[in-house]
């Protein structure tokens, strides 16, 4: 991921980092940050990150040849010796640090407060499902309300993506929206400490990453870290849905603000927030879960910016979502495809099925003309087969009659459903897609990112999704 740091601040911030070594002199020109050796040039400093299987220090001679004047690397005696030689030979400055990831996070923390002192607000979005959608709804809402917004791109929401997003914020931005993702205990604590958000939304608590969290109670502890960090400082704002049983256990009236009495109908959602009742209309969004997210985004925005309340409520009807393989309807000449090939777990699968079936009912598409294609759900722990089987049972309960299961857990799905068609890989099902499209009016296609169910679509269909 390539992000650009505001040039007027980068050198002064880097000089504040704890360092192991320094070879050369600080450049007299301001530079942008690059973590991509292919793009590092005379306008950038190169942050040579180290991961489990890579060390970007191996590319230093390449970035030097491209004119890069400053390189930050993870210190070792061997690398420091080479850095000293290259510094003298090419007049390039090298900064050695003990841990490049922690230094990146420290740099982001410094930038967050430098930018925040100018009046910028940091908003965090956490939760098991719907984080990216909620982030995009909030971004769209605030942009339509007249704010300059910087937000997490795609799902760059981890220990590298969050600091790079912070470092991409420009002085003219008024709001920074950060999506927080975690699949191991303790990761949220790091993200919240770097970001120190002013306000946040927790979307829900579901069966995500159970391979590492084991149960929903542990998921709650992780996702609620954004709230716990605020409690320590006795300030902040968290918006969450009252209907989520586990989130409802979080108690602190000075920080927690609940959206309650949610009542969704087609293109309208009514809800209570604080002492007021609201009704929002929107023709762009589909499904109850997206309208719940809209209610939370609108509630947060009008609380953080009360003087903008009327404009924010008016802007809610203009909110739309980008096309990115997430819960989108692709309308073709003779059929409609619901595609969500970005992520999947039992909670999000149920929400997507509810959305799809509601849409089909509205369009008078009978069950026998609906085709369901479900792919593997990953990172569910030792109960992964049971979760797939349970969803198969739920498909049978809803009287789905044409189901196709793809991936390692296709047989587990079918043990629950009983009469489905099983395929080990999307390529095995792909030859049948043309025939299936001639039989069915609506398709439900959803699975985890790794199973790549979007590959089932023809090239011209994939063009509708932004590919």
């Amino acid at each position: 991921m390539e992000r650009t740091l505001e040039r007027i601040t980068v050198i002064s911030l880097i000089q504040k980092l704890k360092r192991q070594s320094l070879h050369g002199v600080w450049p007299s020109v301001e530079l942008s940050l690059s973590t991509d050796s292919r793009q590092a040039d005379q306008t950038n400093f190169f942050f040579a990150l180290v991961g489990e299987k890579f060390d970007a220090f191996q590319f230093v001679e390449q970035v030097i040849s491209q004119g890069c004047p400053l390189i930050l690397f993870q210190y070792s005696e061997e690398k420091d010796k080479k850095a000293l030689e290259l510094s003298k030979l090419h007049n390039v400055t090298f900064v050695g640090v003990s841990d490049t990831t922690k230094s990146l996070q420290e740099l982001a923390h410094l930038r967050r407060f430098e930018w925040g002192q100018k009046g910028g607000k940091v908003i965090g979005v956490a939760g098991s499902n719907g984080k990216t959608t909620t982030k995009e709804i909030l971004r769209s809402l605030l942009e339509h309300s007249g704010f300059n917004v910087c937000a997490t791109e795609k799902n760059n929401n981890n220990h590298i993506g969050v600091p790079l997003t912070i470092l991409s914020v420009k002085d003219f931005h008024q709001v920074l929206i950060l999506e927080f993702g975690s699949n191991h205990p303790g990761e949220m604590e790091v993200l919240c400490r770097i970001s120190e958000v002013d306000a946040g939304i927790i979307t829900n608590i579901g069966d995500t990453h159970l391979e590492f969290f084991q149960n929903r109670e542990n998921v709650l502890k992780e996702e609620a870290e954004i709230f716990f960090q605020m409690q320590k400082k006795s300030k902040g704002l968290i918006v969450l849905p009252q209907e989520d049983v586990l989130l409802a256990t979080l108690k602190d009236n000075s920080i927690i603000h609940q959206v309650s009495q949610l009542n969704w109908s087609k293109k309208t959602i009514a809800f209570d927030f604080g002492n007021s009742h609201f009704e929002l209309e929107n023709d762009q969004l589909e499904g109850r879960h997206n309208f719940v997210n809209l209610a939370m985004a609108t509630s947060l925005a009008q609380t953080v910016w009360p003087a903008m309340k009327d404009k924010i409520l008016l802007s809610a009807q203009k909110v739309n979502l980008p096309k990115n393989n997430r819960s989108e309807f692709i309308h073709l000449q003779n059929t409609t495809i619901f595609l969500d090939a970005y992520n999947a777990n039992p909670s999000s699968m149920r929400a997507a099925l509810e959305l799809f079936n509601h849409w089909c009912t509205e369009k008078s598409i009978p069950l026998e003309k609906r085709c369901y294609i479900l792919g593997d759900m990953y990172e569910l722990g030792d109960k992964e087969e049971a979760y797939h089987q349970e969803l198969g049972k739920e498909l049978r309960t809803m009287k789905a009659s044409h189901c196709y299961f793809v991936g390692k857990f296709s047989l587990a799905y079918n043990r629950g459903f009983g009469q489905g068609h099983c395929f080990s890989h999307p390529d095995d099902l792909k030859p049948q897609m043309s025939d299936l499209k001639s039989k069915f009016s609506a398709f439900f296609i959803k699975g985890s990112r790794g199973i790549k169910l979007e590959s089932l679509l023809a090239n011209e269909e994939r063009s509708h999704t932004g590919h």
Side-chain angles (χ1 to χ4, degrees), residues 50-73:
V50 175
E52 291 183 7
K53 298 181 180 180
F54 71 91
D55 184 344
F57 187 81
Q58 64 182 302
F59 301 113
V60 293
E61 291 177 273
Q62 173 190 329
V63 301
I64 289 173
S65 70
Q66 294 164 187
C68 183
L70 174 63
I71 296 168
L72 190 147
F73 69 100

Side-chain angles (χ1 to χ4, degrees), residues 216-313:
R216 285 193 179 193
E217 286 71 24
N218 288 335
V219 174
L220 172 66
K221 291 178 184 177
E222 183 72 5
E223 298 294 346
E225 184 63 35
I226 187 173
F227 162 63
F228 298 143
Q229 291 283 330
M230 290 181 183
Q231 265 196 320
K232 293 176 183 177
K233 298 183 178 182
S234 300
K235 67 175 183 178
L237 163 72
I238 292 292
V239 175
L240 49 82
Q242 185 188 52
E243 65 187 17
D244 189 292
V245 176
L246 287 175
L247 285 177
T249 64
L250 301 178
K251 304 293 184 183
D252 189 327
N253 292 336
S254 65
I255 295 174
I256 295 290
H257 297 256
Q258 296 181 332
V259 173
S260 60
Q261 302 299 318
L262 290 152
N263 185 11
W264 169 68
S265 176
K266 294 183 180 179
K267 296 296 182 179
T268 303
I269 189 162
F271 61 95
D272 291 342
F273 184 73
N275 296 320
S276 301
H277 181 76
F278 299 92
E279 289 190 14
L280 303 178
E281 293 185 4
N282 184 289
D283 291 330
Q284 312 296 318
L285 301 177
E286 297 280 358
R288 183 181 187 276
H289 60 295
N290 280 332
F291 276 86
V292 172
N293 295 336
L294 177 64
M296 291 192 290
T298 305
S299 298
L300 179 142
Q302 64 172 304
T303 305
V304 176
W305 296 279
M308 298 283 290
K309 178 180 177 179
D310 290 342
K311 192 167 186 178
I312 288 168
L313 292 173

Side-chain angles (χ1 to χ4, degrees), residues 18-211:
K18 298 175 184 177
R19 55 182 181 264
Q20 302 291 108
S21 65
L22 172 64
H23 304 301
V25 297
W26 294 107
S28 58
V29 295
E30 294 298 339
L31 304 169
S32 301
L33 177 152
S34 176
T35 58
D36 188 338
S37 61
R38 298 165 297 181
Q39 297 186 26
D41 58 23
Q42 67 273 13
T43 67
N44 308 129
F45 82 90
F46 180 55
F47 216 110
L49 290 172
V50 175
E52 291 183 7
K53 298 181 180 180
F54 71 91
D55 184 344
F57 187 81
Q58 64 182 302
F59 301 113
V60 293
E61 291 177 273
Q62 173 190 329
V63 301
I64 289 173
S65 70
Q66 294 164 187
C68 183
L70 174 63
I71 296 168
L72 190 147
F73 69 100
Q74 187 155 306
Y75 180 89
S76 72
E77 289 187 5
E78 180 182 354
K79 286 190 288 186
D80 195 56
K81 182 179 179 180
K82 183 174 182 178
L84 177 59
E85 294 173 354
L86 290 172
S87 177
K88 292 179 178 179
L89 184 62
H90 298 285
N91 194 29
V92 174
T93 301
F94 281 83
V95 179
V97 297
S98 60
D99 187 308
T100 50
T101 298
K102 289 182 179 179
S103 291
L104 179 69
Q105 294 168 351
E106 182 184 351
L107 190 65
H109 192 241
L110 291 169
R111 174 57 178 157
R112 180 260 178 269
F113 278 100
E114 181 185 65
W115 174 77
Q117 287 175 350
K118 300 170 185 176
K121 295 290 186 182
V122 182
I123 310 298
V125 181
S128 294
N129 303 304
K131 292 186 296 293
T132 301
T133 302
T134 302
K135 173 204 69 183
E136 293 297 343
I137 286 174
L138 183 57
R139 187 215 296 253
S140 179
L141 175 70
L142 294 177
E143 287 179 342
H144 279 107
S145 299
F147 291 92
N148 285 315
V149 180
C150 177
T152 302
E153 297 295 341
K154 299 180 180 178
N155 73 323
N156 295 312
N157 57 18
N158 63 6
H159 64 296
I160 299 295
V162 168
L164 286 177
T165 302
I166 295 172
L167 290 170
S168 73
V169 72
K170 303 293 190 294
D171 283 347
F172 65 79
H173 286 127
Q174 298 164 290
V175 186
L176 173 60
I177 305 174
L178 297 173
E179 177 184 334
F180 295 144
S182 171
N183 54 23
H184 289 83
E187 292 179 344
M188 279 289 290
E189 190 277 331
V190 173
L191 302 182
C192 293
R193 177 170 45 80
I194 297 168
S195 309
E196 295 201 39
V197 302
D198 298 297
I201 293 172
I202 308 177
T203 58
N204 50 57
I205 301 299
D207 300 315
T208 52
H209 306 297
L210 295 182
E211 179 180 357

